[in-house]
Amino acid sequence: MASTNTKLWYLENFNLFKGMNQEEMKRVEKMTRMQTIQKGQFIYYPETPSSSVFFLKKGRVKIVSYTEDGKEIIKKILWPGDIFGELGLIDGDSKRSDFSQAMDDDVLICAMGKEEMVQMMSMNSKLNLKVMKIIGLRLRKVERRVESLIGKSARTRLIEFIKELAEERGKKIGTEILIKHHLTHQDIASLNAISRQKTTAILNELRDESLITFDRNSLLVRNIDKLS
């Protein structure tokens, strides 16, 4: 796909840049470089400078950290259309605090230098507002997740995760919502600080209660109002 579509085509179809005129898009194109990343490859590491912002065009990327004993903690999973590495825009000479890693083969990203992105934002108030909104929403999600981890049961955390996924990625089919996620039970467990075994057990419980059905790559919420 990357061979038949130009970098400009990808950028023009990126939500953040929609509404820009042709001259602005040409400027964005000159400021970015497109890269193909293979599954398992890291895009950046902790303690490296936050010198670039990334736009995810194809595939999935996960933002992770590791415990002292090597256990992976997934902070978030990014999908096509997402921006990442954006916190460097509001934190001066900051360094990365986590890893970003490709989850699929042939993940396609566009990278823009932080200074160039700041320049674009200063010249385009709508772009600036969109980026600030993304950062604000992500920080609020982090706050909600911390509150959830502290005071809520594993079942409640998992249900809230399913609801969030349904809102962000779900497709309504009558009274049901289909979520195509391609996440393993281990991915879901790591995102919610639950063991894989407990995650599978809770998903099976919800299925037995006719609240959801699921397979390897998707999940169907039968009735979002009854999911509790």
Side-chain angles (χ1 to χ4, degrees), residues 74-217:
I74 301 178
K75 295 183 175 180
K76 60 178 172 279
I77 290 178
L78 303 156
W79 312 82
D82 280 339
I83 179 176
F84 63 107
E86 77 286 349
L87 289 181
L89 296 171
I90 58 172
D91 195 12
D93 298 324
S94 63
K95 293 184 178 181
R96 308 291 186 190
S97 60
D98 41 36
F99 298 82
S100 60
Q101 186 179 27
M103 296 181 69
D104 304 302
D105 287 325
D106 299 322
V107 167
L108 190 62
I109 62 172
C110 279
M112 178 186 287
K114 182 173 69 175
E115 299 305 321
E116 286 80 5
M117 186 66 182
V118 170
Q119 180 185 357
M120 286 292 301
M121 291 166 61
S122 68
M123 296 169 60
N124 188 311
S125 59
K126 288 184 178 179
L127 176 63
N128 184 69
L129 184 61
K130 286 181 180 179
V131 173
M132 291 300 107
K133 184 176 180 180
I134 288 169
I135 291 173
L137 287 172
R138 287 197 176 158
L139 291 175
R140 283 199 292 274
K141 283 179 71 174
V142 169
E143 289 178 359
R144 289 200 304 268
R145 188 179 182 203
V146 170
E147 291 172 357
S148 178
L149 291 175
I150 292 173
K152 297 182 179 178
S153 68
R155 177 184 168 105
T156 300
R157 296 203 301 272
L158 192 52
I159 286 173
E160 289 184 351
F161 169 75
I162 292 171
K163 287 183 173 181
E164 185 177 282
L165 205 60
E167 180 181 348
E168 294 179 353
R169 302 198 55 79
K171 179 180 180 182
K172 198 160 187 180
I173 304 174
T175 60
E176 300 177 330
I177 300 175
L178 177 64
I179 308 164
K180 293 185 177 180
H181 55 74
H182 300 277
L183 300 175
T184 66
H185 284 194
Q186 184 60 61
D187 291 335
I188 296 171
S190 296
L191 278 162
N192 293 283
I194 309 170
S195 70
R196 185 191 60 76
Q197 293 83 355
K198 184 67 173 176
T199 296
T200 299
I202 295 170
L203 289 172
N204 287 335
E205 285 176 8
L206 296 173
R207 181 173 59 188
D208 293 343
E209 294 167 20
S210 297
L211 295 171
I212 66 170
T213 60
F214 60 87
D215 58 26
R216 186 174 181 179
N217 296 319

Side-chain angles (χ1 to χ4, degrees), residues 29-93:
E29 183 186 26
K30 289 180 180 178
M31 291 180 175
T32 57
R33 61 188 185 279
M34 196 155 69
Q35 299 172 258
T36 300
I37 312 294
Q38 297 306 319
K39 184 175 182 178
Q41 184 177 347
F42 289 99
I43 300 162
Y44 58 72
Y45 300 85
E47 298 303 314
T48 55
S50 298
S51 56
S52 297
V53 179
F54 302 93
F55 311 107
L56 181 56
K57 306 308 302 174
K58 176 187 172 187
R60 297 169 301 155
V61 168
K62 59 183 176 181
I63 307 300
V64 302
S65 61
Y66 293 91
T67 62
E68 290 184 359
D69 59 358
K71 181 181 178 182
E72 181 185 77
I73 300 172
I74 301 178
K75 295 183 175 180
K76 60 178 172 279
I77 290 178
L78 303 156
W79 312 82
D82 280 339
I83 179 176
F84 63 107
E86 77 286 349
L87 289 181
L89 296 171
I90 58 172
D91 195 12
D93 298 324

